Amino acid sequence: MNGTQITLRAGTALSALALAFAAAPQAMAQTTDDQTNAGQTADQTAPAAQAAETAGDIIVTGSRIRRSNFSSPEPLTVISKDEMTQAGFSSVSDALQSTAVTQGSSQINNYYGGYVVDGGTGVNSIGLRGLGATRTLVLLNGHRLSPAGTRGSVGSVDLNSIPDAIVKRIEVLKAGASSIYGSDAVAGVINILTDDSIKGLVLEAQTNVPEVGAGTANRLSASFGAHGDRWHLIGSVDYYNRSSLTIGDTDFARCPIGGYLSGAGTAMGSGDYIDPATGQSKCWSLDNGGLTINTLGVPTRTATPAAGETATAFNRLRPNAAVTGGNTPGYEGVGNYTRTTFDPAMLNEQVVTPLRTYTGFLSGSYDLHALGDAQVYVELLGNRRQSSSLGYRQLTLDYATGSLLVPTMFRSGVFSSATAVSNGQTVAARSFIGYGLLNSSQDVYTYRTAGGIRGNLGLGDWSYDAYGAYSWMRSSYATDTFITSKVAKSLNVVQNTDGSFSCVDSSGGCVAAPAINAASIGGNLSQAYRDYITDTVVGHTKFDEITGAFNVNGSLFKLPGGNAAAALGFEYRHDQLNDQPPIESVNGDMYNLTSATPTVGSDEVWEAYGELNLPLLANLPFVHALTIDGSGRYTHYRSYGGQWTYKGSATYEPVKGFGLRTSYGTSYRAPALFEQYLGATSGFLSGSYDPCDNYATSSNPIIQRNCAAAGLPGTFTQTGSVTVLTAGGAETGLRAETSKNFSAGAVINPVLPGKMGVLSASLDYFSIEVDNEVSRVGASGLLNLCYGSANFPSSSYCNYVTRDANNQLTVQDNYINISTDKRRGWEFDLRYQNRMFGGTFLVDAMVTKYVEQSSRVLDGDALVDANGTIGSPDWTGSLNASYRSGPVTLHYGIDWIKGSSNDRVAKYVATDSDTGIVDQATYELIKDNYYLGTPDYFLHNASIQFDIERYELTMGVRNLFDQMPPSITSGVYSMVGNSPLYSGYDYTGRTFYLNVTARF
């Protein structure tokens, strides 16, 4: 499910946008608090600063043409460094992933440590409009940054590699711009701009300390600038460290419960699985975070029931020395709700994973006084990211039928067919052992060297810019894991004369597996055995990117509204990805984890583009200003051939202070390297992901019907794992993506009388439709779509799911072309600034209303709209205010995510993906028995900033009222405790921050 004053000034761009409609450019010089101009407070925004610091024309994100004012025919959000500091963001990554930029769409951040994500654990990425990170272009000073991460699915920029210390502002264009920037600007463009005005040395330190005392983030940095008559040099070094926040550190996640409701109107947890030992709702039940541990799996047999059980036949037993009679002396029978599912070590799993980065940046230029007053420039960027994630692991030991390690009463039974560790024999018994925490870590080095030459062509105001860059990323990823071959060897034993056991094959220091008894089932394993069956396996990923570009731009001829201008250019890009997984993964030797083959591939693209700006009319009755823009690009991939993209836009101001704007464009995106060449992988899901596992107790009548139609009894138990096979799309006929992007809106910037200040506002409608979108559905999603379909077994999703004669499931989860993905909605921005009470008051507001967030997976399917559900909110907003008087600035901000109604989510879950029809029985059952509604979610932040001579001190609080994420019923969404996993929620709680900056 897909995705502030900060002072985040979405409205920052509004005044400037309105100015674009004026007949003559208005001066936008940054002023002090004492200065006013004709009763209007001067705009102290990032665009104003840009215009003031730049001699001559400027380049605006979203265009290649130099302009005499800061203008855009589409919504543009600007975030300044000061605003990030005042809002308490400890990194650029945190600011970009805030609600005001993402409009509530979910992003990959350090909440996802236990999940498989593109780019690997620890990556932070950004995707606009909920369309994913590979469809949002990230630039540094107008030039693209290359992907970084680990494993074979590296395809997007890792925000951790941005040089935080020297960032001056960020410009966010939330509209497609493929014809301007290239194929991956489908949903928008983020341009990160460094501060080239630094003089001397700037030292900065920031700490963010959550009230819970864990998850602290600290940043230390130094930046500098030096200037001469012909040269200019700036640079920075950054150190950032964020410690982990564990489940045990948080109140809301310590005791996840199933949250199942017994009927309409009942309270959360009232129909929960009750722990017989406490009489309370059971924490860590199997349906929310718990794992079967301290339990023995055997063929179904009569056994003494554990306390709280009413059944008499069981295939899961638990050691109990008090049981001395019956068929299973020393063991009692347990069901799904009485078996052991919690180990205190689970509390040490991480809600927020730890991260450490080191970043260096250097930029310089030199004026040649030749070649058209040319300037040679260079940029160097280096970054190292170290991250890790702890995960709790269950160890399953499959003892073969007849094994001497199995108690005599279970030795001849057959619990399941042969598995990867049973040495070709049927399995008599399976020990479900709580093993403990195992670590995975990532070490990522990202480098970029770029430079070029820019100057005048000697043809009027025409200029040129020739640019080239080489970026390379080298990473390693280490995983602590059980080794399948060693576990298998340890289970193949002979008994010695003294009663002990030895491996049949003793090579490699084999240590025999423990015999089945209360101690081994309970996780009491010798250190020698633990050391033998586990190992740290390491993989390596390389990504290289070479880019080159040449651009010319300037005026063409005079029009009634001003000078027509154009830009022309060529670009070249060559990408190469080489991921070499651990040899144990290649050989399928990582027990109950994925296997993978190398992902190796390259592609190159040649592009030619042109852009035209035509100020048609100005200063006429009912036409204060009329401008149209057009652009076109031809893109040719070595892998997917070529195609044209284009874009047209217009701005019309009938009277001064009121303007209309619109744009329409197309895009063409070939699949990323990892989407094309991802090496074939195989992995496993727990058997509990089989929709037919114990389906008689399922709350979904469609699944009950379909599993029965598959010939399975209602008591069917899945004893094996679900095999998941994945491959890149090049071998499966993957097609290139295309999209259409439309926007239309109005901007007002009235001249207010007297000392009423400056007001600007805009309202825009946006619509984007992506066809042939490249994606993966997900194995569990395919299973549920198949067995939850009203058209089972003819559903198109069932083509990816097979069940063999032994009822073992295999899911093909390749990259495929999703038929359609649509996003439509409205954005409203408001900004007001005025002098009052001896200071300057500023308020910004941004509200986004989605009217559609729909998709269909396969041709012929219905569009299913997720709008208004968890992770896809239909309303989001930010309201931010600041007041500056002398050296003191007060700031207050609110982020808002509209909640989801239980009824809306129930309808979405009950909608058949093939037909788009809501299954009424499923809807009624979910609506009455699940709690999936979430309240409106507000995050408040407040700060005070002192700016005294060379020093600046900012202190404040994020999540001022300690707002925790909402609780829902598990089973539908990925969860953190009883809260849905969603980047829009804050899992750290109230956080205090302090920033100190000194300039020398």
Side-chain angles (χ1 to χ4, degrees):
M1 310 271 172
N2 276 15
T4 247
Q5 260 172 43
I6 46 189
T7 303
L8 184 103
R9 309 197 201 272
T12 289
L14 296 175
S15 296
L17 290 174
L19 291 172
F21 298 117
Q26 299 181 21
M28 293 188 293
Q30 188 172 13
T31 67
T32 68
D33 288 340
D34 297 327
Q35 293 174 307
T36 59
N37 181 19
Q40 295 186 359
T41 305
D43 189 2
Q44 297 180 340
T45 64
Q50 181 185 32
E53 74 189 18
T54 305
D57 295 341
I58 59 174
I59 297 287
V60 178
T61 299
S63 174
R64 301 279 190 176
I65 297 175
R66 288 176 290 119
R67 302 165 188 257
S68 58
N69 50 27
F70 191 93
S71 63
S72 171
E74 295 160 315
L76 190 68
T77 298
V78 179
I79 313 167
S80 73
K81 174 66 176 294
D82 283 344
E83 293 164 344
M84 288 187 277
T85 300
Q86 290 171 9
F89 290 114
S90 61
S91 67
V92 170
S93 176
D94 290 342
L96 284 175
Q97 293 181 331
S98 66
T99 299
V101 174
T102 65
Q103 295 96 36
S105 61
S106 191
Q107 309 297 321
I108 299 301
N109 58 17
N110 285 76
Y111 298 156
Y112 288 77
Y115 292 81
V116 177
V117 297
D118 289 345
T121 299
V123 73
N124 280 229
S125 57
I126 178 70
L128 299 174
R129 303 293 192 213
L131 293 174
T134 57
R135 295 171 192 88
T136 296
L137 178 62
V138 181
L139 308 173
L140 181 65
N141 293 322
H143 298 290
R144 67 173 54 238
L145 288 170
S146 67
T150 59
R151 302 185 182 272
S153 56
V154 173
S156 59
V157 172
D158 184 1
L159 301 179
N160 293 307
S161 64
I162 294 171
D164 293 331
I166 206 165
V167 170
K168 182 174 185 178
R169 69 180 179 276
I170 303 167
E171 298 174 2
V172 182
L173 177 70
K174 290 173 284 186
S178 291
S179 61
I180 304 294
Y181 290 108
S183 59
D184 41 2
V186 174
V189 179
I190 295 172
N191 191 9
I192 300 159
L193 298 162
T194 57
D195 188 354
D196 62 0
S197 65
I198 294 177
K199 294 181 180 180
L201 177 66
V202 180
L203 301 179
E204 184 179 3
Q206 179 163 333
T207 183
N208 289 51
V209 183
E211 190 175 81
V212 297
T216 300
N218 297 300
R219 182 165 62 86
L220 297 172
S221 66
S223 52
F224 66 90
H227 309 263
D229 290 339
R230 299 175 62 179
W231 59 274
H232 178 187
L233 186 68
I234 62 170
S236 66
V237 290
D238 255 292
Y239 169 75
Y240 179 76
N241 181 59
R242 183 178 57 234
S243 61
S244 70
L245 181 76
T246 69
I247 291 173
D249 293 325
T250 63
D251 290 330
F252 75 90
R254 283 197 196 102
C255 180
I257 59 175
Y260 184 75
L261 303 182
S262 60
T266 54
M268 185 71 174
S270 62
D272 243 15
Y273 308 130
I274 303 302
D275 188 342
T278 64
Q280 303 297 315
S281 297
K282 183 175 181 179
C283 299
W284 297 90
S285 55
L286 282 177
D287 59 340
N288 197 11
L291 294 170
T292 294
I293 58 174
N294 305 340
T295 303
L296 184 67
V298 295
T300 301
R301 60 174 59 204
T302 301
T304 301
E309 284 289 348
T310 58
T312 56
F314 302 91
N315 64 5
R316 299 290 192 277
L317 305 176
R318 182 169 61 196
N320 185 347
V323 177
T324 57
N327 295 324
T328 58
Y331 294 87
E332 61 185 6
V334 292
N336 287 344
Y337 316 134
T338 58
R339 69 180 72 170
T340 303
T341 56
F342 172 68
D343 183 334
M346 293 177 179
L347 296 177
N348 292 322
E349 285 193 323
Q350 294 154 338
V351 176
V352 180
T353 57
L355 172 74
R356 182 182 294 113
T357 63
Y358 309 84
T359 308
F361 177 80
L362 186 66
S363 174
S365 63
Y366 183 78
D367 296 333
L368 296 178
H369 291 177
L371 300 177
D373 291 327
Q375 181 185 76
V376 176
Y377 60 95
V378 65
E379 282 185 359
L380 304 175
L381 172 66
N383 171 267
R384 181 185 185 186
R385 187 247 293 177
Q386 295 174 298
S387 54
S388 62
S389 177
L390 286 174
Y392 187 86
R393 288 294 302 274
Q394 170 204 66
L395 173 64
T396 55
L397 293 181
D398 287 350
Y399 294 84
T401 301
S403 171
L404 298 176
L405 297 172
V406 180
T408 304
M409 58 182 166
F410 305 128
R411 191 172 296 171
S412 61
V414 176
F415 176 69
S416 81
S417 56
T419 67
V421 297
S422 66
N423 295 292
Q425 305 296 312
T426 58
V427 177
R430 175 177 296 159
S431 283
F432 295 91
I433 298 168
Y435 189 85
L437 296 165
L438 292 177
N439 189 46
S440 66
S441 61
Q442 305 80 39
D443 201 354
V444 184
Y445 292 84
T446 305
Y447 303 97
R448 177 174 178 262
T449 177
I453 182 171
R454 54 195 169 209
N456 300 319
L457 285 174
L459 301 172
D461 63 352
W462 279 78
S463 64
Y464 67 91
D465 188 349
Y467 169 84
Y470 172 50
S471 301
W472 65 103
M473 185 275 300
R474 303 292 182 262
S475 66
S476 61
Y477 49 99
T479 305
D480 296 340
T481 184
F482 310 124
I483 304 301
T484 304
S485 58
K486 290 186 176 182
V487 175
K489 282 177 65 175
S490 75
L491 288 164
N492 187 17
V493 302
V494 294
Q495 190 167 21
N496 302 317
T497 56
D498 61 359
S500 63
F501 297 94
S502 299
C503 301
V504 171
D505 179 0
S506 60
S507 62
C510 180
V511 177
I516 292 177
N517 53 43
S520 64
I521 294 173
N524 187 9
L525 307 174
S526 71
Q527 190 60 48
Y529 185 65
R530 287 174 175 265
D531 292 342
Y532 173 67
I533 64 171
T534 60
D535 201 356
T536 300
V537 301
V538 181
H540 301 275
T541 309
K542 299 178 181 179
F543 193 98
D544 294 81
E545 182 174 81
I546 298 172
T547 59
F550 182 76
N551 171 275
V552 296
N553 68 83
S555 299
L556 294 174
F557 46 82
K558 185 73 173 178
L559 288 172
N563 289 326
L568 300 169
F570 301 92
E571 291 187 0
Y572 169 78
R573 185 169 76 255
H574 180 275
D575 293 338
Q576 183 169 327
L577 172 64
N578 186 336
D579 176 65
Q580 298 295 326
I583 189 62
E584 294 85 356
S585 179
V586 175
N587 294 334
D589 205 19
M590 295 167 61
Y591 188 39
N592 283 342
L593 289 181
T594 59
S595 67
T597 56
T599 298
V600 180
S602 65
D603 205 355
E604 61 183 6
V605 56
W606 294 87
E607 298 178 285
Y609 61 87
E611 182 183 359
L612 186 64
N613 173 250
L614 300 174
L616 298 179
L617 298 171
N619 296 322
L620 297 174
F622 306 109
V623 185
H624 189 65
L626 174 64
T627 301
I628 62 173
D629 292 85
S631 59
R633 174 180 290 251
Y634 182 75
T635 300
H636 183 87
Y637 283 89
R638 185 184 67 199
S639 58
Y640 276 80
Q643 184 163 316
W644 282 97
T645 58
Y646 62 88
K647 186 173 186 176
S649 61
T651 58
Y652 167 54
E653 189 178 11
V655 294
K656 184 177 181 179
F658 173 72
L660 302 173
R661 60 190 182 188
T662 186
S663 71
Y664 178 83
T666 64
S667 71
Y668 170 75
R669 188 184 82 91
L673 289 180
F674 74 92
E675 293 167 337
Q676 293 186 49
Y677 299 110
L678 183 68
T681 65
S682 64
F684 302 93
L685 292 174
S686 165
S688 63
Y689 281 88
D690 185 343
C692 297
D693 185 41
N694 292 315
Y695 73 84
T697 62
S698 171
S699 59
N700 189 328
I702 297 179
I703 286 180
Q704 289 183 335
R705 181 189 67 208
N706 292 341
C707 292
L712 301 172
T715 57
F716 167 73
T717 300
Q718 179 58 267
T719 59
S721 299
V722 178
T723 301
V724 181
L725 304 178
T726 303
E731 60 189 55
T732 59
L734 200 64
R735 302 186 301 277
E737 294 178 355
T738 60
S739 73
K740 295 169 286 187
N741 196 310
F742 170 76
S743 69
V747 177
I748 62 171
N749 185 34
V751 178
L752 301 179
K755 297 183 178 181
M756 294 184 65
V758 178
L759 172 69
S760 58
S762 70
L763 177 65
D764 289 278
Y765 171 80
F766 62 87
S767 174
I768 183 168
E769 179 176 331
V770 181
D771 293 317
N772 297 327
E773 181 178 289
V774 178
S775 184
R776 288 167 58 192
V777 179
S780 61
L782 285 168
L783 286 168
N784 289 319
L785 287 168
C786 171
Y787 281 90
S789 171
N791 294 329
F792 179 87
S794 300
S795 167
S796 53
Y797 301 103
C798 294
N799 295 331
Y800 301 96
V801 178
T802 57
R803 187 184 294 273
D804 66 18
N806 295 318
N807 284 315
Q808 302 302 298
L809 285 171
T810 299
V811 182
Q812 294 277 352
D813 185 26
N814 298 330
Y815 281 98
I816 61 174
N817 288 106
I818 290 179
S819 178
T820 304
D821 207 337
K822 289 185 177 181
R823 300 290 187 272
R824 296 187 297 117
W826 295 85
E827 285 185 351
F828 173 74
D829 295 308
L830 173 71
R831 173 181 168 85
Y832 177 71
Q833 182 175 334
N834 198 7
R835 283 188 55 82
M836 55 181 63
F837 308 115
T840 301
F841 173 73
L842 173 66
V843 62
D844 282 323
M846 170 191 288
V847 176
T848 300
K849 163 60 177 173
Y850 277 100
V851 296
E852 182 178 10
Q853 299 183 69
S854 63
S855 63
R856 56 173 163 237
V857 177
L858 302 173
D859 289 334
D861 289 353
L863 275 169
V864 178
D865 193 358
N867 195 41
T869 62
I870 299 169
S872 300
D874 52 349
W875 287 90
T876 61
S878 298
L879 177 65
N880 303 277
S882 65
Y883 179 76
R884 180 180 178 89
S885 180
V888 179
T889 301
L890 302 176
H891 156 78
Y892 196 91
I894 306 172
D895 288 341
W896 165 58
I897 297 173
K898 188 177 184 297
S900 304
S901 71
N902 195 59
D903 185 76
R904 174 68 187 97
V905 181
K907 284 183 178 178
Y908 174 65
V909 174
T911 300
D912 186 271
S913 296
D914 285 309
T915 64
I917 298 173
V918 176
D919 185 274
Q920 194 64 28
T922 303
Y923 161 67
E924 295 289 345
L925 188 147
I926 293 174
K927 176 173 66 73
D928 293 341
N929 293 278
Y930 281 76
Y931 189 86
L932 297 173
T934 59
D936 284 12
Y937 187 78
F938 294 91
L939 287 176
H940 299 252
N941 63 87
S943 69
I944 182 170
Q945 186 177 79
F946 302 93
D947 195 348
I948 304 174
E949 296 181 350
R950 295 179 300 171
Y951 301 95
E952 183 180 86
L953 174 68
T954 307
M955 61 184 72
V957 184
R958 287 195 58 77
N959 196 349
L960 182 62
F961 299 107
D962 201 23
Q963 179 69 53
M964 289 292 103
S967 294
I968 64 169
T969 302
S970 65
V972 178
Y973 292 90
S974 298
M975 305 287 284
V976 179
N978 268 104
S979 301
L981 177 61
Y982 170 46
S983 63
Y985 297 144
D986 177 20
Y987 297 101
T988 60
R990 183 184 293 117
T991 299
F992 304 93
Y993 59 90
L994 175 67
N995 179 285
V996 180
T997 303
R999 297 175 176 87
F1000 302 96

